[in-house]
Amino acid sequence: MTAPGAYRRERLDRGIKVRSDDIFALAGWAELVYLAGPRVAAAVLLLVFPLLRNWTGDYWQTVFLVAVAMMLAAVSWAFLENVGLVSLGHSLFFGAGGYLTAIAVLDLRLPPLLAVVCGTVVAAAGCGVLLGPVLRLRGVYFSLVTFALPLLFARVIEATKILGGTEGLAGIPGLGSLEARQYLLVVGLLVATFGLQRLLDSDYGLVLHAIRDNDLSVRASGIPVGWWKFGAVVVGALPATLAGAVLATHYHVVGMSAFALDYSVLPLTAAVLGGPGTMAGAAVGAALLVPLSELLRAFGTLRVVAYCAVLVLALVSVPEGLFSLVRRRYHQFERWVPL
Amino acid sequence: MPELLTVLVYGLVQAAVLLLVALGFSVTFGLSGIPNFSHGGVYILSGFVCWFSLRKLGWPYPLAVAASVAVAAAVGLLVYAAVIRPVRRLVLAEVIATFAVGVAMLELFRWMGLVTYEFNLPPVVAGSVALGEVVVDAHRLVVVASAAGLGLALWWFGRATRTGLALRAMAQEEYTALSLGIREDRMAALSVVLGSALAAVAAVLVLPLGLISINLGYDAMLVALAVTVTGGTERTAGLVLAALLLGLATVVASVVIGPHWSEVVYLAAIVAVLAVRPSGILGRLKELEERV
Amino acid sequence: MVDRVSKQFGGVRAVDGVSLEVRPGEALGIIGPNGSGKTTLVNLITGFVRPDNGRVLFRGVDIAKSSVEARVRMGIARSFQTPRPFYRLPAFRNVIIPLCSRRARERLGSGFGRREEVALDLLEEVGFERDAAAVTKPASELPHGYLKRLELARCLALDPQLLLLDELFSGMSPAETASLIPLLLRLVQEGRSLVLVEHRLAELFQVVGRVVVLDFGRKIAEGHPAEVMTREEVRRAYLGGEVSASA
C-alpha cells in the first residue's frame, strides 16, 4: 500500500509511444495535441504572419519572406546532407533558380508564375546534370565541387559578360503581391519540410541511407546508385532553386550576388545549428538565424564571420543540433501522477 | 616564334604558381585525408603577416618570411586542435568545420578593411632576365625554381623519410598503420601543420606578383581544388603534371580567347577529369573500392 | 555461360581464358587456391569488373558490357566474400534495400508495408528466427555468421535465376552450414542456377554435382567432385596451398 498523496514522476509521452519513435497509439485529444501541437503551431504561424502586415510593417514582412526562402535553402541542404552529400555552395542552386527564372521571364516571355515553376525545375535538373560526374566519388568530392562551382560561375559571368555580366539581369516583373510570393514560399516550405522528411522515412529514404553506408551492396541489390543519387540531388535542390526563383521576382533583379557566399554559408549554418538530421530542424535553424542576421545588418561581412563562428561552435558542441535537443527534451517532459 | 616561346615561359610560370598554391592543400588531403578548407584563409593570413613584419615592424626580409611560415604553422596546429580533432573521422564535418574557419578568416580581413593598394609584398629578387627573346622578371624564375624544388623535396619526403612513409601508410591503410605503432593523431596534426606552412611559403612567393587581396584567398582554394582533383592525391608527379597542364591551358586561353578565361579552364578541368578519370590523371585507385 | 573470359590487372592475368557453363537447376562449385581468380570470375559474371575479352552469356544474351544493375534485373545475384551489410540499418531493413530494386518491384509491386513482411520472411528462411532480437538489431552488432546469412537473404530478395555465393560458408560454424545446405538444395530444385566459390570442400560437395578448379587464372580441371580431386594437377595446385576440407 502506498500512502495517499504520494506521487511519482511519469513521462508525458508514456502510453503514446508504443514500439518506437514513429509509431503512436493515441488515446484522446490531449495526446493528439501533445504530439501534433508543435507542428501545427509552426505551420499556423507561417500561414498567419503574412496577414499581420498592418501590425508588423513592410520591413518585417520582407524579412519574413527572406527567412522563409532561407528556411527552404536550409531544408534543401539538410536533405542532401542526409543522403551523404554535404554542399558547401548552396548558392549554386539558389543562383541557378534565380537566373533561369530571369531568362524564362525576360527572354522566353513566360508569365511570371510559369517562369518561376520552370526556373525552379530546370535549375534543379541542370544542377543535377552538372554535379552528376561527382556523384560517383566519395562524398568529399561533392563538397569540393559544390564549393568551387558558384565561385567559378560568378567569375565566369564577370569575365565573359554573359547573363548581364556584373550588372545582372534586371527588370524581372514581380510575382503578384508580396503576399502571393510569401504564400508561394510558405506552401513550398511546408511541402518540402514534411514531404522530404516523409521521403527520407520511407523505403526510398532507406535506400538513400544505404547508399551513404555502402554503395557496393546497393549496386549488388540491383539499384542503380548513380541514378538514385542524381534523383536525390535534383529533388534536394528543388527547395533551394524555388527560393532563388521567388526572391529573383521579389527583387526584380538577379545578379552575381545570387552566387555569393552568404547564400552558401547561411543555409549550412542554419541546418547544422538547428539539427542536420531533420528537415524541421534545419528550418527552425534558419528561422532563428535570419532575423538575428537582420539585426546585425550594420556589421556587413562580419555577419558571415559570425555565422562561421556559430557553425564551428554548433558542430563541435551541439552536434545533434538545437532542434533535436529540444525535441528530445519535449518528449521527456514529465508530470506528477498519484501512485 | 617568339609568341610561342612567351606562352611557354609564362605557362611554366603559371604552372609553378598553381603548384605552389595547391601543394599545401593537396599535401594535407593526400596524407591524412583531411580536406583543409581553411587553406585559402591561411594563405592570405600569411601574406598579411609577412607584410606586417616587413612594413610595420621593419623586420628584415628573411625574418619576415620565417615569421609568416611560423604563424601559418601555428594557426594550422590551432585549427587542427580546436576544430578538426573534435570532429575527426566525420569527414563531412571536417569539411564543414574547416570551411567555416577559412571563410571566417577571409571575411574578417575584409571587414577589417584590408583591401587597399598598400598591401603588396616585395619580390625575392628584383630585376629581370632575358630568356632568348622573352623577358621575365627574376622573381618569376625564383617562383619556378622554388616550385620545382618543393615538388622534389616533397617527393623525397614521402619516399625516403620515416615521417613521410608513416603519413603515406596512414593515408593508405589506417588500421594497419595503427597496428604498426604510427600515431594517428600526431600524424594528422603534422599533415595540417605542414600544409599550412606550405600555404605560407606559397603566399610569400606568389603574392608579390600582385596585390594582396581577399579574393585571392578564394582563388587559392579554387586553384588548390582544380589541381588536386586533376592530379589526384596519390602521387606528387600527378600534381606537377596537373599544374603544368592547367598552367599552360590558362595562359593559352587568356592569349587566344582573352583574359579572365582562366576560371573557365579550371571549371572545365574539374568537370572533365571527374567525368573521365575520377582518380586524377595519374591516379590508379582501385576502381570500385574507393568510391564509398 | 562464360566463354573464354580474361581480365588483366596491371601485369597479372587474374582470369585467363576461362570458359564454363551452368545450366538451370544445376549447382556448380568453383574451387582453387587463394589468388587463383575465383572472386574475379564472380565479379566478371556479375558485372563488378568488365572483361578484357571473352563473352558472358546469360540465357543466350551477351551481357559482358551490361551494368551490375541490368544483370540483377535479368536475375543474377551475388554475395560478397566479406559481408558488406548496411551497418547502420537493422537487419530486416537491410533486406528491404534489394526489395526496392526494379526486379523486386516488378515481382511484388510497390505496395506499402508489404516489403517489411517479405523481408521478415526472407530472414526467417535463412535462419533468423522471426521476432528474435537479431532481426531488429543494427547489422553492426550482428555476429559474423548472421552477417553471412544476411548476405544470402539480400540475394534471395532479388529472386535470382543465377546466384553466385562467394565463400558463403567461411567463418560459419558446422551447425550453421548444416542448416543452410537444405535451403541451397531447394533453390537448385526450384530450377535456379547456383555457383558456389568455396574453400570448405566437404560442405561444397553436399550441394554441387560438378566443380571447376582454377589455378593462376586458368581452368585446370572440371568434373565430378570426387573424381576431380583425385587428379594429379589438382593435387599439385592444392599442395602447399591450404587443403581445407573441414577448416
Side-chain angles (χ1 to χ4, degrees):
Chain A
M1 263 317 274
T2 47
Y7 288 85
R8 68 181 173 82
R9 294 207 292 185
E10 182 192 82
R11 292 239 318 241
L12 271 191
D13 63 351
R14 207 177 153 194
I16 302 179
K17 282 190 195 164
V18 181
R19 211 175 98 190
S20 65
D21 274 348
D22 46 359
I23 298 175
F24 305 107
L26 294 178
W29 280 104
E31 292 182 352
L32 185 66
V33 168
Y34 169 77
L35 273 181
R39 283 163 231 225
V40 173
V44 167
L45 186 67
L46 284 171
L47 289 170
V48 167
F49 195 88
L51 302 177
L52 305 177
R53 195 163 168 183
N54 290 330
W55 184 64
T56 59
D58 280 1
Y59 173 71
W60 285 105
Q61 290 296 330
T62 307
V63 172
F64 175 79
L65 181 75
V66 175
V68 177
M70 287 303 118
M71 287 158 88
L72 273 164
V75 167
S76 150
W77 189 92
F79 178 78
L80 290 179
E81 197 267 351
N82 257 282
V83 184
L85 301 168
V86 164
S87 143
L88 293 184
H90 238 64
S91 58
L92 170 67
F93 306 120
F94 191 82
Y99 268 104
L100 283 170
T101 303
I103 290 171
V105 81
L106 295 176
D107 295 340
L108 305 179
R109 307 254 159 232
L110 296 181
L113 183 62
L114 190 59
V116 164
V117 173
C118 289
T120 303
V121 174
V122 175
C127 290
V129 172
L130 206 59
L131 293 169
V134 197
L135 297 177
R136 292 192 294 163
L137 301 167
R138 279 183 299 154
V140 186
Y141 283 88
F142 182 82
S143 307
L144 298 186
V145 172
T146 47
F147 172 78
L149 283 180
L151 282 174
L152 281 170
F153 273 133
R155 299 293 161 75
V156 169
I157 289 173
E158 189 181 1
T160 60
K161 311 218 161 33
I162 50 166
L163 298 172
T166 46
E167 311 278 299
L169 298 172
I172 305 168
L175 178 68
S177 58
L178 178 63
E179 283 86 355
R181 297 188 281 268
Q182 285 173 325
Y183 277 116
L184 185 58
L185 284 185
V186 166
V187 170
L189 177 65
L190 293 176
V191 170
T193 310
F194 296 114
L196 292 180
Q197 188 68 56
R198 189 75 192 255
L199 185 68
L200 280 179
D201 294 339
S202 74
D203 285 351
Y204 297 100
L206 202 61
V207 174
L208 292 174
H209 276 291
I211 290 176
R212 183 182 170 172
D213 220 2
N214 156 6
D215 65 340
L216 270 190
S217 294
V218 178
R219 295 187 63 202
S221 303
I223 287 168
V225 170
W227 283 108
W228 277 71
K229 278 189 167 178
F230 173 77
V233 170
V234 173
V235 171
L238 278 172
T241 54
L242 175 68
V246 173
L247 280 199
T249 70
H250 177 72
Y251 294 130
H252 305 298
V253 60
V254 56
M256 276 160 49
S257 63
F259 287 118
L261 210 56
D262 307 46
Y263 294 120
S264 299
V265 179
L266 207 146
L268 198 169
T269 310
V272 171
L273 178 72
T278 57
M279 303 302 105
V284 168
L288 290 176
L289 268 188
V290 175
L292 257 179
S293 93
E294 277 307 313
L295 296 175
L296 299 176
R297 188 165 272 284
F299 292 92
T301 67
L302 198 60
R303 283 192 297 168
V304 179
V305 182
Y307 298 153
C308 291
V310 169
L311 183 52
V312 173
L313 279 178
L315 206 58
V316 174
S317 59
V318 216
E320 65 173 329
L322 287 180
F323 178 76
S324 306
L325 196 74
V326 170
R327 187 172 58 169
R328 193 153 50 80
R329 293 263 168 248
Y330 182 75
H331 284 294
Q332 285 169 352
F333 273 150
E334 291 169 333
R335 62 181 165 197
W336 291 100
V337 290
L339 274 171
Chain B
M1 286 276 282
E3 277 174 20
L4 183 65
L5 193 64
T6 314
V7 167
L8 276 180
V9 169
Y10 277 88
L12 191 65
V13 172
Q14 180 67 14
V17 167
L18 296 186
L19 184 63
L20 281 174
V21 171
L23 263 185
F25 177 82
S26 75
V27 159
T28 309
F29 189 50
L31 290 181
S32 58
I34 299 174
N36 184 6
F37 276 85
S38 66
H39 180 72
V42 173
Y43 173 76
I44 292 299
L45 171 75
S46 329
F48 280 127
V49 169
C50 188
W51 177 86
F52 188 76
S53 328
L54 277 174
R55 302 274 196 257
K56 293 282 165 180
L57 302 178
W59 290 0
Y61 187 72
L63 193 59
V65 171
S68 103
V69 173
V71 168
V75 168
L77 187 62
L78 189 69
V79 168
Y80 178 79
V83 177
I84 300 177
R85 187 155 49 190
V87 295
R88 186 80 177 108
R89 296 269 144 269
L90 308 166
V91 179
L92 300 178
E94 285 172 5
V95 169
I96 299 172
T98 54
F99 168 76
V101 171
V103 171
M105 271 194 227
L106 289 173
E107 295 303 318
L108 187 65
F109 293 145
R110 200 194 295 282
W111 179 73
M112 287 160 69
L114 303 182
V115 277
T116 55
Y117 287 101
E118 57 178 312
F119 296 105
N120 54 12
L121 291 178
V124 178
V125 192
S128 56
V129 180
L131 295 173
E133 293 168 46
V134 186
V135 180
V136 191
D137 35 329
H139 180 77
R140 288 196 152 80
L141 295 180
V142 173
V143 167
V144 173
S146 348
L150 271 180
L152 277 176
L154 275 176
W155 177 77
W156 174 80
F157 175 77
R159 225 143 258 267
T161 64
R162 274 181 76 102
T163 322
L165 283 174
L167 281 168
R168 280 168 30 125
M170 205 75 222
Q172 282 171 12
E173 209 49 73
E174 195 190 322
Y175 288 104
T176 318
L178 281 178
S179 67
L180 292 175
I182 295 168
R183 291 168 62 179
E184 203 281 316
D185 190 47
R186 251 189 219 190
M187 288 298 149
L190 187 63
S191 80
V192 176
V193 169
L194 188 64
S196 304
L198 282 171
V201 173
V204 170
L205 286 168
V206 174
L207 288 176
L209 297 176
L211 297 168
I212 309 180
S213 87
I214 308 298
N215 283 339
L216 285 179
Y218 294 110
D219 283 356
M221 280 311 306
L222 277 183
V223 165
L225 294 179
V227 174
T228 306
V229 168
T230 315
T233 53
E234 291 164 89
R235 303 208 281 167
T236 318
L239 288 178
V240 174
L241 188 60
L244 279 173
L245 285 176
L246 287 175
L248 276 174
T250 47
V251 170
V252 168
S254 66
V255 170
V256 178
I257 318 176
H260 303 304
W261 278 81
S262 49
E263 277 86 10
V264 184
V265 172
Y266 301 146
L267 179 64
I270 291 182
V271 171
V273 169
L274 287 177
V276 182
R277 281 193 74 97
S279 52
I281 38 179
L282 285 187
R284 288 175 303 186
L285 293 183
K286 288 160 275 173
E287 271 183 26
L288 289 158
E289 304 291 331
E290 299 297 327
R291 289 184 197 165
V292 181
Chain C
M1 193 184 97
V2 176
D3 185 18
R4 290 171 308 223
V5 289
S6 302
K7 178 70 193 179
Q8 214 165 340
F9 292 119
V12 184
R13 297 206 140 195
V15 170
D16 190 0
V18 172
S19 300
L20 51 86
E21 191 181 356
V22 201
R23 281 178 291 275
E26 191 200 6
L28 173 75
I30 298 181
I31 60 175
N34 280 341
S36 58
K38 304 182 298 282
T39 295
T40 306
L41 195 56
V42 171
N43 282 338
L44 284 169
I45 298 173
T46 51
F48 281 86
V49 169
R50 303 280 159 89
D52 296 332
N53 32 50
R55 299 183 300 162
V56 181
L57 296 176
F58 182 66
R59 293 172 167 176
V61 186
D62 188 356
I63 53 166
K65 293 198 167 58
S66 310
S67 67
V68 174
E69 299 81 25
R71 296 185 206 205
V72 170
R73 204 175 157 212
M74 297 173 79
I76 302 179
R78 60 97 43 104
S79 72
F80 289 101
Q81 185 178 351
T82 36
R84 302 184 60 105
F86 309 110
Y87 284 107
R88 281 182 259 181
L89 302 181
F92 76 99
R93 296 235 151 112
N94 266 269
V95 187
I96 287 183
I97 304 297
L99 290 176
C100 293
S101 72
R102 198 135 164 207
R103 182 173 175 83
R105 272 182 289 156
E106 279 163 5
R107 190 162 51 99
L108 300 171
S110 42
F112 190 74
R114 175 113 170 71
R115 291 196 189 107
E116 220 160 284
E117 196 58 31
V118 176
L120 291 172
D121 286 343
L122 283 164
L123 282 179
E124 198 177 8
E125 203 167 341
V126 297
F128 280 71
E129 281 137 55
R130 182 173 282 242
D131 287 329
V135 173
T136 48
K137 256 193 203 170
S140 56
E141 292 170 22
L142 290 176
H144 186 76
Y146 273 85
L147 292 181
K148 284 282 189 180
R149 279 181 270 165
L150 193 55
E151 285 277 319
L152 183 58
R154 219 181 53 217
C155 296
L156 294 183
L158 295 167
D159 182 31
Q161 290 308 302
L162 170 61
L163 175 57
L164 299 103
L165 299 170
D166 197 353
E167 299 201 17
L168 179 68
F169 294 146
S170 72
M172 277 193 173
S173 69
E176 282 176 315
T177 49
S179 71
L180 280 184
I181 286 172
L183 170 63
L184 296 183
L185 289 173
R186 208 190 70 221
L187 291 173
V188 178
Q189 264 169 17
E190 287 169 4
R192 301 172 207 265
S193 309
L194 243 61
V195 172
L196 280 83
V197 170
E198 203 50 71
H199 276 305
R200 293 172 60 166
L201 303 182
E203 284 90 346
L204 177 70
F205 295 162
Q206 293 178 40
V207 181
V208 300
R210 193 156 60 91
V211 288
V212 165
V213 189
L214 294 184
D215 192 26
F216 290 112
R218 288 167 189 275
K219 184 164 88 173
I220 58 168
E222 180 173 0
H224 190 269
E227 184 259 327
V228 162
M229 291 314 287
T230 60
R231 288 196 208 168
E232 181 61 21
E233 61 269 29
V234 176
R235 301 184 77 93
R236 207 181 310 128
Y238 264 93
L239 271 180
E242 80 282 31
V243 188
S244 55
S246 58

